[in-house]
PDB file of all heavy atoms in Angstrom:
ATOM      1  N   VAL A  49     -83.548 149.584 125.767  1.00  0.00           N
ATOM      2  CA  VAL A  49     -82.829 150.358 126.783  1.00  0.00           C
ATOM      3  C   VAL A  49     -83.080 151.850 126.602  1.00  0.00           C
ATOM      4  O   VAL A  49     -83.429 152.305 125.513  1.00  0.00           O
ATOM      5  CB  VAL A  49     -81.289 150.109 126.724  1.00  0.00           C
ATOM      6  CG1 VAL A  49     -80.953 148.643 126.977  1.00  0.00           C
ATOM      7  CG2 VAL A  49     -80.698 150.567 125.408  1.00  0.00           C
ATOM      8  N   GLU A  50     -82.870 152.582 127.682  1.00  0.00           N
ATOM      9  CA  GLU A  50     -82.891 154.040 127.621  1.00  0.00           C
ATOM     10  C   GLU A  50     -81.542 154.517 127.082  1.00  0.00           C
ATOM     11  O   GLU A  50     -80.545 153.785 127.147  1.00  0.00           O
ATOM     12  CB  GLU A  50     -83.133 154.621 129.017  1.00  0.00           C
ATOM     13  CG  GLU A  50     -84.493 154.261 129.581  1.00  0.00           C
ATOM     14  CD  GLU A  50     -84.652 154.661 131.043  1.00  0.00           C
ATOM     15  OE1 GLU A  50     -83.728 155.296 131.613  1.00  0.00           O
ATOM     16  OE2 GLU A  50     -85.697 154.312 131.618  1.00  0.00           O
ATOM     17  N   ALA A  51     -81.491 155.733 126.594  1.00  0.00           N
ATOM     18  CA  ALA A  51     -80.260 156.283 126.008  1.00  0.00           C
ATOM     19  C   ALA A  51     -79.083 156.228 126.980  1.00  0.00           C
ATOM     20  O   ALA A  51     -77.938 156.034 126.564  1.00  0.00           O
ATOM     21  CB  ALA A  51     -80.497 157.712 125.531  1.00  0.00           C
ATOM     22  N   GLY A  52     -79.343 156.350 128.276  1.00  0.00           N
ATOM     23  CA  GLY A  52     -78.283 156.337 129.279  1.00  0.00           C
ATOM     24  C   GLY A  52     -77.533 155.016 129.383  1.00  0.00           C
ATOM     25  O   GLY A  52     -76.449 154.963 129.976  1.00  0.00           O
ATOM     26  N   TYR A  53     -78.084 153.953 128.818  1.00  0.00           N
ATOM     27  CA  TYR A  53     -77.435 152.637 128.894  1.00  0.00           C
ATOM     28  C   TYR A  53     -76.043 152.667 128.256  1.00  0.00           C
ATOM     29  O   TYR A  53     -75.139 151.983 128.717  1.00  0.00           O
ATOM     30  CB  TYR A  53     -78.316 151.576 128.226  1.00  0.00           C
ATOM     31  CG  TYR A  53     -77.840 150.151 128.432  1.00  0.00           C
ATOM     32  CD1 TYR A  53     -77.835 149.569 129.693  1.00  0.00           C
ATOM     33  CD2 TYR A  53     -77.403 149.382 127.362  1.00  0.00           C
ATOM     34  CE1 TYR A  53     -77.412 148.264 129.890  1.00  0.00           C
ATOM     35  CE2 TYR A  53     -76.982 148.069 127.548  1.00  0.00           C
ATOM     36  CZ  TYR A  53     -76.984 147.517 128.807  1.00  0.00           C
ATOM     37  OH  TYR A  53     -76.559 146.222 128.998  1.00  0.00           O
ATOM     38  N   LEU A  54     -75.883 153.478 127.219  1.00  0.00           N
ATOM     39  CA  LEU A  54     -74.578 153.598 126.547  1.00  0.00           C
ATOM     40  C   LEU A  54     -73.475 153.935 127.546  1.00  0.00           C
ATOM     41  O   LEU A  54     -72.396 153.339 127.510  1.00  0.00           O
ATOM     42  CB  LEU A  54     -74.632 154.646 125.434  1.00  0.00           C
ATOM     43  CG  LEU A  54     -73.285 155.033 124.815  1.00  0.00           C
ATOM     44  CD1 LEU A  54     -72.612 153.839 124.141  1.00  0.00           C
ATOM     45  CD2 LEU A  54     -73.451 156.177 123.841  1.00  0.00           C
ATOM     46  N   ASP A  55     -73.735 154.876 128.438  1.00  0.00           N
ATOM     47  CA  ASP A  55     -72.716 155.277 129.419  1.00  0.00           C
ATOM     48  C   ASP A  55     -72.293 154.092 130.287  1.00  0.00           C
ATOM     49  O   ASP A  55     -71.112 153.927 130.599  1.00  0.00           O
ATOM     50  CB  ASP A  55     -73.236 156.408 130.317  1.00  0.00           C
ATOM     51  CG  ASP A  55     -73.445 157.699 129.529  1.00  0.00           C
ATOM     52  OD1 ASP A  55     -72.746 157.896 128.516  1.00  0.00           O
ATOM     53  OD2 ASP A  55     -74.322 158.491 129.929  1.00  0.00           O
ATOM     54  N   TYR A  56     -73.242 153.250 130.656  1.00  0.00           N
ATOM     55  CA  TYR A  56     -72.930 152.075 131.474  1.00  0.00           C
ATOM     56  C   TYR A  56     -72.145 151.025 130.680  1.00  0.00           C
ATOM     57  O   TYR A  56     -71.303 150.326 131.237  1.00  0.00           O
ATOM     58  CB  TYR A  56     -74.216 151.482 132.064  1.00  0.00           C
ATOM     59  CG  TYR A  56     -74.877 152.421 133.043  1.00  0.00           C
ATOM     60  CD1 TYR A  56     -76.029 153.121 132.704  1.00  0.00           C
ATOM     61  CD2 TYR A  56     -74.326 152.633 134.309  1.00  0.00           C
ATOM     62  CE1 TYR A  56     -76.625 153.995 133.599  1.00  0.00           C
ATOM     63  CE2 TYR A  56     -74.921 153.505 135.212  1.00  0.00           C
ATOM     64  CZ  TYR A  56     -76.069 154.187 134.851  1.00  0.00           C
ATOM     65  OH  TYR A  56     -76.650 155.064 135.746  1.00  0.00           O
ATOM     66  N   MET A  57     -72.428 150.950 129.374  1.00  0.00           N
ATOM     67  CA  MET A  57     -71.655 150.041 128.512  1.00  0.00           C
ATOM     68  C   MET A  57     -70.201 150.509 128.428  1.00  0.00           C
ATOM     69  O   MET A  57     -69.270 149.708 128.509  1.00  0.00           O
ATOM     70  CB  MET A  57     -72.268 149.973 127.105  1.00  0.00           C
ATOM     71  CG  MET A  57     -73.620 149.281 127.068  1.00  0.00           C
ATOM     72  SD  MET A  57     -74.383 149.367 125.417  1.00  0.00           S
ATOM     73  CE  MET A  57     -73.600 147.955 124.621  1.00  0.00           C
ATOM     74  N   LEU A  58     -70.010 151.814 128.267  1.00  0.00           N
ATOM     75  CA  LEU A  58     -68.651 152.370 128.181  1.00  0.00           C
ATOM     76  C   LEU A  58     -67.921 152.212 129.517  1.00  0.00           C
ATOM     77  O   LEU A  58     -66.722 151.896 129.536  1.00  0.00           O
ATOM     78  CB  LEU A  58     -68.707 153.839 127.751  1.00  0.00           C
ATOM     79  CG  LEU A  58     -69.180 154.078 126.310  1.00  0.00           C
ATOM     80  CD1 LEU A  58     -69.485 155.547 126.075  1.00  0.00           C
ATOM     81  CD2 LEU A  58     -68.157 153.568 125.291  1.00  0.00           C
ATOM     82  N   GLN A  59     -68.639 152.394 130.629  1.00  0.00           N
ATOM     83  CA  GLN A  59     -68.031 152.208 131.959  1.00  0.00           C
ATOM     84  C   GLN A  59     -67.564 150.769 132.134  1.00  0.00           C
ATOM     85  O   GLN A  59     -66.474 150.515 132.654  1.00  0.00           O
ATOM     86  CB  GLN A  59     -69.033 152.554 133.062  1.00  0.00           C
ATOM     87  CG  GLN A  59     -69.234 154.027 133.285  1.00  0.00           C
ATOM     88  CD  GLN A  59     -70.346 154.304 134.294  1.00  0.00           C
ATOM     89  OE1 GLN A  59     -70.685 153.449 135.111  1.00  0.00           O
ATOM     90  NE2 GLN A  59     -70.927 155.487 134.217  1.00  0.00           N
ATOM     91  N   ARG A  60     -68.386 149.807 131.721  1.00  0.00           N
ATOM     92  CA  ARG A  60     -68.037 148.383 131.830  1.00  0.00           C
ATOM     93  C   ARG A  60     -66.742 148.120 131.069  1.00  0.00           C
ATOM     94  O   ARG A  60     -65.853 147.440 131.543  1.00  0.00           O
ATOM     95  CB  ARG A  60     -69.186 147.524 131.296  1.00  0.00           C
ATOM     96  CG  ARG A  60     -68.812 146.113 130.910  1.00  0.00           C
ATOM     97  CD  ARG A  60     -68.864 145.121 132.025  1.00  0.00           C
ATOM     98  NE  ARG A  60     -70.194 145.022 132.596  1.00  0.00           N
ATOM     99  CZ  ARG A  60     -70.450 144.445 133.758  1.00  0.00           C
ATOM    100  NH1 ARG A  60     -69.469 143.900 134.454  1.00  0.00           N
ATOM    101  NH2 ARG A  60     -71.672 144.385 134.234  1.00  0.00           N
ATOM    102  N   GLU A  61     -66.649 148.689 129.874  1.00  0.00           N
ATOM    103  CA  GLU A  61     -65.478 148.439 129.031  1.00  0.00           C
ATOM    104  C   GLU A  61     -64.212 149.024 129.650  1.00  0.00           C
ATOM    105  O   GLU A  61     -63.131 148.470 129.501  1.00  0.00           O
ATOM    106  CB  GLU A  61     -65.719 149.016 127.624  1.00  0.00           C
ATOM    107  CG  GLU A  61     -64.810 148.467 126.576  1.00  0.00           C
ATOM    108  CD  GLU A  61     -64.973 146.968 126.348  1.00  0.00           C
ATOM    109  OE1 GLU A  61     -66.104 146.478 126.256  1.00  0.00           O
ATOM    110  OE2 GLU A  61     -63.928 146.284 126.244  1.00  0.00           O
ATOM    111  N   GLU A  62     -64.354 150.151 130.343  1.00  0.00           N
ATOM    112  CA  GLU A  62     -63.198 150.753 131.021  1.00  0.00           C
ATOM    113  C   GLU A  62     -62.704 149.858 132.152  1.00  0.00           C
ATOM    114  O   GLU A  62     -61.515 149.804 132.448  1.00  0.00           O
ATOM    115  CB  GLU A  62     -63.580 152.124 131.598  1.00  0.00           C
ATOM    116  CG  GLU A  62     -63.649 153.219 130.554  1.00  0.00           C
ATOM    117  CD  GLU A  62     -64.190 154.514 131.150  1.00  0.00           C
ATOM    118  OE1 GLU A  62     -64.118 154.698 132.383  1.00  0.00           O
ATOM    119  OE2 GLU A  62     -64.681 155.346 130.365  1.00  0.00           O
ATOM    120  N   THR A  63     -63.623 149.155 132.809  1.00  0.00           N
ATOM    121  CA  THR A  63     -63.296 148.307 133.940  1.00  0.00           C
ATOM    122  C   THR A  63     -62.725 146.971 133.499  1.00  0.00           C
ATOM    123  O   THR A  63     -61.726 146.503 134.032  1.00  0.00           O
ATOM    124  CB  THR A  63     -64.567 148.049 134.797  1.00  0.00           C
ATOM    125  OG1 THR A  63     -65.201 149.298 135.034  1.00  0.00           O
ATOM    126  CG2 THR A  63     -64.220 147.402 136.108  1.00  0.00           C
ATOM    127  N   VAL A  64     -63.383 146.344 132.533  1.00  0.00           N
ATOM    128  CA  VAL A  64     -62.961 145.019 132.064  1.00  0.00           C
ATOM    129  C   VAL A  64     -63.315 144.884 130.589  1.00  0.00           C
ATOM    130  O   VAL A  64     -64.400 145.284 130.170  1.00  0.00           O
ATOM    131  CB  VAL A  64     -63.621 143.894 132.910  1.00  0.00           C
ATOM    132  CG1 VAL A  64     -65.129 143.942 132.842  1.00  0.00           C
ATOM    133  CG2 VAL A  64     -63.117 142.534 132.493  1.00  0.00           C
ATOM    134  N   SER A  65     -62.391 144.353 129.808  1.00  0.00           N
ATOM    135  CA  SER A  65     -62.654 144.171 128.382  1.00  0.00           C
ATOM    136  C   SER A  65     -63.772 143.157 128.172  1.00  0.00           C
ATOM    137  O   SER A  65     -63.836 142.132 128.855  1.00  0.00           O
ATOM    138  CB  SER A  65     -61.396 143.683 127.667  1.00  0.00           C
ATOM    139  OG  SER A  65     -61.701 143.406 126.301  1.00  0.00           O
ATOM    140  N   THR A  66     -64.635 143.440 127.213  1.00  0.00           N
ATOM    141  CA  THR A  66     -65.715 142.513 126.881  1.00  0.00           C
ATOM    142  C   THR A  66     -65.336 141.636 125.683  1.00  0.00           C
ATOM    143  O   THR A  66     -66.188 140.968 125.109  1.00  0.00           O
ATOM    144  CB  THR A  66     -67.032 143.269 126.600  1.00  0.00           C
ATOM    145  OG1 THR A  66     -66.803 144.224 125.559  1.00  0.00           O
ATOM    146  CG2 THR A  66     -67.531 143.978 127.849  1.00  0.00           C
ATOM    147  N   TYR A  67     -64.040 141.639 125.346  1.00  0.00           N
ATOM    148  CA  TYR A  67     -63.561 140.732 124.295  1.00  0.00           C
ATOM    149  C   TYR A  67     -63.692 139.295 124.787  1.00  0.00           C
ATOM    150  O   TYR A  67     -63.306 138.968 125.908  1.00  0.00           O
ATOM    151  CB  TYR A  67     -62.094 141.045 123.956  1.00  0.00           C
ATOM    152  CG  TYR A  67     -61.494 140.058 122.982  1.00  0.00           C
ATOM    153  CD1 TYR A  67     -61.859 140.097 121.641  1.00  0.00           C
ATOM    154  CD2 TYR A  67     -60.590 139.086 123.408  1.00  0.00           C
ATOM    155  CE1 TYR A  67     -61.330 139.176 120.735  1.00  0.00           C
ATOM    156  CE2 TYR A  67     -60.058 138.170 122.515  1.00  0.00           C
ATOM    157  CZ  TYR A  67     -60.426 138.219 121.178  1.00  0.00           C
ATOM    158  OH  TYR A  67     -59.914 137.310 120.287  1.00  0.00           O
ATOM    159  N   MET A  68     -64.267 138.426 123.941  1.00  0.00           N
ATOM    160  CA  MET A  68     -64.540 137.055 124.357  1.00  0.00           C
ATOM    161  C   MET A  68     -63.697 136.014 123.625  1.00  0.00           C
ATOM    162  O   MET A  68     -63.765 134.841 123.938  1.00  0.00           O
ATOM    163  CB  MET A  68     -66.025 136.721 124.111  1.00  0.00           C
ATOM    164  CG  MET A  68     -66.997 137.704 124.749  1.00  0.00           C
ATOM    165  SD  MET A  68     -66.823 137.842 126.526  1.00  0.00           S
ATOM    166  CE  MET A  68     -67.899 136.541 127.041  1.00  0.00           C
ATOM    167  N   GLY A  69     -62.956 136.423 122.603  1.00  0.00           N
ATOM    168  CA  GLY A  69     -62.228 135.449 121.791  1.00  0.00           C
ATOM    169  C   GLY A  69     -62.980 135.173 120.500  1.00  0.00           C
ATOM    170  O   GLY A  69     -64.146 135.527 120.348  1.00  0.00           O
TER     171      GLY A  69
END
Side-chain angles (χ1 to χ4, degrees):
V49 299
E50 296 171 4
Y53 189 66
L54 170 62
D55 293 332
Y56 294 105
M57 291 174 85
L58 292 168
Q59 283 174 22
R60 160 87 60 195
E61 198 63 45
E62 283 173 22
T63 311
V64 60
S65 175
T66 56
Y67 174 74
M68 306 301 272

